[in-house]
Amino acid sequence: MQLVVARIGRAHGIKGEVTVEVRTDEPELRLGPGAVLATEPAGAGPLTIETGRVHSGRLLLRFEGVRDRTAAEALRNTLLIAEVDPAELPEDPEEFYDHQLMDLDVVLADGTEIGRITEITHLPSQDLFIVERPDGSEVMIPFVEEIVTEIDLAEQRAVIAPPPGLIDESQAVIASSRDEEGDGDEAPAPGKDA
C-alpha cells in the first residue's frame, strides 16, 4: 500500500536541498537517508534520500542526483510516497494510518449514525474527517480527542461527541462580541474616551 509521507516545498540554498511538508507521524522511519520514495507526478521519481536535517524547525532533504537549486526547484509540490505493508500499524496505539480510518462508520456515543468517513484532509493545525451523511450531504469533523472520543477498528467505527452545531446547524450556539444587556446608550466607563 502506498502512503503520502511528504510534499516537497521550496529549494533551500544552492546545493539541491528542499524543504518538505511532512505528512507522516514517523518521519525518522519514512524520510531517513537511503529511503526510496515514489512520487506524484510519477515522472519526478523515484527519489532516494541522500541526507536530511532540521533547519529552523523545517525538515530539509537532499536527494541523490539533485545537486543544484534549479533541479531542487523543479521538484516543488511533488508528493513523496512510501510503500507500506497494509498490516503494519503505527508505533503509537493512539495513531492511525489514513487507510485504517477510511470507510469507518461515524456514530454518537448512543449509537446514532452520523455517516461514513470518505476522506481525510490534513491541515497544518489538525486533520479533518470528511463524513458522508446518509442523505448524501457531507460534514467535516475535526480529528481531535475532544470530538473523536474513540476509534474502534474491530467494530469499524469512530465514536464522536460533537459540540452543538457541528452536526446539526440548528443547535449552533452563536457567539457575539456584543453584550446583549444594553442597546449601546450607556455612558462610557470612567477613564475611557467617549
Side-chain angles (χ1 to χ4, degrees):
M1 168 182 296
Q2 295 187 326
L3 296 176
V4 174
V5 294
R7 183 183 64 82
I8 297 175
R10 298 183 307 205
H12 179 82
I14 59 171
K15 296 184 179 179
E17 283 185 312
V18 295
T19 62
V20 293
E21 174 190 312
V22 177
R23 295 189 180 176
T24 176
D25 291 330
E26 302 168 315
E28 64 286 343
L29 176 66
R30 308 280 179 223
L31 299 171
V36 178
L37 302 167
T39 60
E40 177 63 42
L47 295 171
T48 301
I49 297 174
E50 187 173 281
T51 63
R53 66 186 178 102
V54 176
H55 175 73
S56 298
R58 300 277 299 180
L59 179 61
L60 302 178
L61 296 179
R62 179 178 297 135
F63 301 102
E64 289 181 6
V66 178
R67 295 284 171 239
D68 60 32
R69 185 175 185 86
T70 303
E73 192 61 38
L75 295 173
R76 191 173 189 162
N77 294 322
T78 298
L79 297 177
L80 299 175
I81 303 167
E83 190 66 40
V84 178
D85 180 348
E88 182 181 329
L89 299 175
E91 292 176 12
D92 184 341
E94 296 295 314
E95 294 178 2
F96 303 93
Y97 291 133
D98 287 3
H99 72 273
Q100 295 175 290
L101 301 171
M102 291 297 292
D103 293 322
L104 290 185
D105 292 324
V106 178
V107 298
L108 300 178
D110 67 5
T112 303
E113 179 186 359
I114 301 301
R116 163 180 79 77
I117 299 172
T118 57
E119 185 180 338
I120 299 163
T121 301
H122 301 280
L123 302 175
S125 59
Q126 67 193 13
D127 296 334
L128 289 175
F129 290 158
I130 308 301
V131 177
E132 184 177 313
R133 311 272 320 255
D135 66 6
S137 65
E138 290 185 336
V139 63
M140 292 183 279
I141 309 286
F143 187 21
V144 294
E145 190 175 352
E146 297 80 25
I147 297 174
V148 181
T149 59
E150 179 186 359
I151 298 289
D152 186 340
L153 295 179
E155 294 293 323
Q156 287 291 291
R157 67 185 188 141
V159 179
I160 64 169
L166 183 65
I167 302 300
D168 184 353
E169 290 180 17
S170 68
Q171 297 175 352
V173 176
I174 299 173
S176 174
S177 61
R178 295 183 186 169
D179 192 7
E180 293 183 23
E181 293 176 10
D183 59 7
D185 291 335
E186 295 94 14
K192 300 283 184 185
D193 292 334

